[in-house]
């Protein structure tokens, strides 16, 4: 079944759609909601809003996500991936790390992947984040990671966690074995980080 083509010009003039955007903008500000920030971002991207508006929403999402992360870390809580807000925050932080990795900022990307591995409650996602960090530690470039280690054919589009790379060209256990030294290094960094938090 083909999805109907979205007529951008019509949407730009659609009072209901524009009222929806306005409502989302207000709700984002009053609720400081990251999930609603993403809804707003999607709507603005559809109507091809000016770049500064898109950047403003993205900054709002990332800043609020890191604020929530700081709150989770200080209260020894993890992101609950069943919660829409927690999921949106983890997604924003993950997308930020992926961007750093794609810009060759290996140190920054590795640190964020490790913090995500430490602060996500879902076990399979924790492992995927640790693997991301291990691949960065190994010196693998972002392009090589995407081209040779990620298997997008296994991604379930309907999965609310589809934004996170969790499907690899080898099973996770085999990936851990391939990057055994780097995984151990990553685990040790997480252990030291957790210990410094408690101290």
């Amino acid at each position: 079944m083909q999805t109907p083509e979205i007529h951008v010009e019509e949407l730009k003039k659609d009072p209901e759609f524009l009222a929806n955007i306005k409502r989302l903008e207000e709700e984002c500000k009053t609720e400081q909601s990251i999930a609603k920030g993403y809804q707003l971002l999607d709507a603005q991207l559809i109507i091809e809003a000016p770049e500064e508006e898109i950047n403003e929403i993205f900054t709002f999402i990332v800043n609020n996500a890191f604020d929530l992360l700081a709150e989770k870390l200080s209260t020894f809580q993890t992101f609950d991936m069943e919660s829409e807000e927690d999921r949106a925050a983890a997604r924003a932080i993950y997308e930020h790390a992926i961007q750093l990795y794609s810009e060759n900022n290996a140190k920054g990307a590795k640190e964020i992947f490790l913090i995500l591995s430490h602060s996500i409650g879902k076990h399979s996602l924790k492992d995927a984040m640790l693997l991301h960090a291990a691949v960065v530690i190994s010196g693998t470039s972002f392009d090589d990671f995407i081209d040779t280690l990620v298997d997008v054919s296994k991604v379930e589009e309907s999965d609310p966690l589809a934004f996170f790379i969790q499907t690899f060209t080898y099973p996770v256990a085999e990936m851990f074995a391939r990057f055994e030294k780097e995984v151990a290094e990553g685990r040790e960094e997480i252990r030291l980080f957790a210990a410094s938090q408690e101290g």
Side-chain angles (χ1 to χ4, degrees), residues 1-55:
M1 198 176 92
Q2 279 193 313
T3 49
E5 207 177 310
I6 295 169
H7 296 288
V8 176
E9 292 310 314
E10 282 174 29
L11 278 179
K12 282 180 183 174
K13 299 184 194 90
D14 182 333
E16 198 178 326
F17 189 78
L18 296 175
N20 242 341
I21 288 184
K22 201 86 206 118
R23 180 182 53 78
L24 270 173
E25 277 176 353
E26 283 160 14
E27 286 175 2
C28 275
K29 289 193 178 83
T30 55
E31 297 170 27
Q32 293 293 295
S33 168
I34 303 156
K36 285 191 173 158
Y38 268 117
Q39 289 171 21
L40 180 61
L41 185 66
D42 289 343
Q44 295 282 38
L45 286 169
I46 288 170
I47 61 164
E48 297 164 355
E51 198 177 331
E52 59 269 20
E53 281 181 38
I54 302 287
N55 289 342

Side-chain angles (χ1 to χ4, degrees), residues 17-186:
F17 189 78
L18 296 175
N20 242 341
I21 288 184
K22 201 86 206 118
R23 180 182 53 78
L24 270 173
E25 277 176 353
E26 283 160 14
E27 286 175 2
C28 275
K29 289 193 178 83
T30 55
E31 297 170 27
Q32 293 293 295
S33 168
I34 303 156
K36 285 191 173 158
Y38 268 117
Q39 289 171 21
L40 180 61
L41 185 66
D42 289 343
Q44 295 282 38
L45 286 169
I46 288 170
I47 61 164
E48 297 164 355
E51 198 177 331
E52 59 269 20
E53 281 181 38
I54 302 287
N55 289 342
E56 201 178 305
I57 301 164
F58 200 71
T59 303
F60 166 87
I61 289 171
V62 172
N63 289 348
N64 278 280
F66 275 97
D67 286 349
L68 186 57
L69 172 65
E71 194 183 301
K72 295 274 184 196
L73 292 173
S74 66
T75 54
F76 302 100
Q77 291 180 317
T78 54
F79 284 120
D80 172 8
M81 301 316 275
E82 298 300 313
S83 150
E84 190 185 15
E85 200 60 26
D86 278 16
R87 203 165 52 233
R91 172 188 166 184
I93 293 163
Y94 174 71
E95 286 176 347
H96 182 64
I98 285 286
Q99 187 183 346
L100 291 177
Y101 190 12
S102 72
E103 292 167 354
N104 300 318
N105 182 343
K107 185 177 183 293
K110 176 202 75 172
E111 285 170 1
I112 296 176
F113 289 138
L114 288 175
I115 283 176
L116 279 171
S117 181
H118 171 68
S119 58
I120 284 175
K122 190 177 170 69
H123 195 75
S124 58
L125 202 49
K126 258 183 178 328
D127 283 352
M129 293 303 104
L130 180 56
L131 255 180
H132 278 62
V135 170
V136 176
I137 292 167
S138 75
T140 304
S141 74
F142 176 74
D143 288 341
D144 283 347
F145 171 59
I146 297 297
D147 295 342
T148 64
L149 296 173
V150 174
D151 184 358
V152 289
S153 71
K154 295 179 195 156
V155 175
E156 286 285 328
E157 297 225 356
S158 59
D159 180 0
L161 300 177
F163 295 105
F164 300 90
I165 294 171
Q166 300 175 77
T167 51
F168 304 95
T169 40
Y170 307 97
V172 170
E174 200 178 314
M175 292 286 284
F176 272 145
R178 282 170 172 263
F179 293 97
E180 189 179 2
K181 184 171 76 68
E182 292 85 359
V183 166
E185 189 181 317

